[in-house]
Amino acid sequence: CSALLSTVAEGSSGEEERLSWDAHTVTLSTAGVIRKKWSFDQEGQVIQWACLGFLEVAAESHNPSYTSTASASSSSRPIFGPFAHVKRKKENTSEKTTYEPAVFIFLRSLGRIYLKNGIDYTFGLPFIVRKAWPLSPHGVMIQRVLDRSEIEEAEMTGDTPLPTIFSL
């Protein structure tokens, strides 16, 4: 695969960001200047698609107003076990969500998400990605390749083929 594919999006600073890729390398550039480059030669898989988007991230912050006194309940006995642990954790933190700029890269059987804040995620893909589009306000829509055997089986049985569009 010697073709070079690319997508363009407006970055958080208002400058145009370009994501370009070939079979094993993805390059993120802003105004013609390379900002980041990822190489996937070691994975032994070809890059199927890549796109820019946003990922919803929960930012937990410590709530100093939490006290260890029991809340008003129908029973004065203290609660113990995993449910009490979850309840204390929820009371102890307040969750705020933010949308982090991200680069989504889809290999043959792996997906990679690189956030601009330095955090990255890896996940398995049970299908080959044909194309992906960023969704608003966050996430991506993924189209999978429909295998010829699935089409033939659907025609033989009269069933409709399995879904081809997914979201992340």
Side-chain angles (χ1 to χ4, degrees):
C1 180
S2 61
L4 182 68
L5 298 169
S6 68
T7 59
V8 178
E10 187 173 311
S12 56
S13 62
E15 294 181 325
E16 184 179 89
E17 291 185 318
R18 181 175 297 273
L19 191 64
S20 305
W21 68 94
D22 60 14
H24 298 285
T25 305
V26 177
T27 305
L28 176 65
S29 60
T30 306
V33 177
I34 295 176
R35 299 288 178 199
K36 191 76 175 169
K37 194 175 206 177
W38 297 274
S39 177
F40 298 98
D41 289 328
Q42 298 297 321
E43 276 78 357
Q45 297 183 25
V46 175
I47 296 169
Q48 302 297 316
W49 198 262
C51 67
L52 298 167
F54 290 90
L55 187 67
E56 183 179 38
V57 178
E60 291 186 10
S61 62
H62 181 67
N63 184 355
S65 65
Y66 171 75
T67 60
S68 60
T69 59
S71 60
S73 65
S74 61
S75 171
S76 62
R77 294 186 310 177
I79 300 172
F80 63 92
F83 297 109
H85 176 72
V86 170
K87 182 178 178 186
R88 278 193 303 269
K89 186 174 181 181
K90 282 185 179 180
E91 290 173 349
N92 202 14
T93 60
S94 61
E95 289 190 17
K96 297 178 183 177
T97 58
T98 60
Y99 301 130
E100 289 290 329
V103 175
F104 297 85
I105 302 171
F106 302 98
L107 304 172
R108 171 70 172 80
S109 64
L110 286 175
R112 291 285 187 67
I113 303 172
Y114 295 96
L115 301 180
K116 297 258 176 113
N117 65 11
I119 297 173
D120 63 275
Y121 300 97
T122 301
F123 55 94
L125 282 170
F127 50 79
I128 299 172
V129 173
R130 177 183 302 273
K131 194 168 181 178
W133 302 269
L135 293 174
S136 179
H138 60 86
V140 292
M141 183 169 55
I142 305 166
Q143 181 183 20
R144 75 176 178 98
V145 172
L146 194 58
D147 190 47
R148 182 176 272 294
S149 64
E150 287 183 69
I151 297 169
E152 291 171 357
E153 181 181 334
E155 288 173 354
M156 287 175 38
T157 61
D159 292 335
T160 59
L162 294 173
T164 59
I165 301 290
F166 301 89
S167 64
L168 174 67

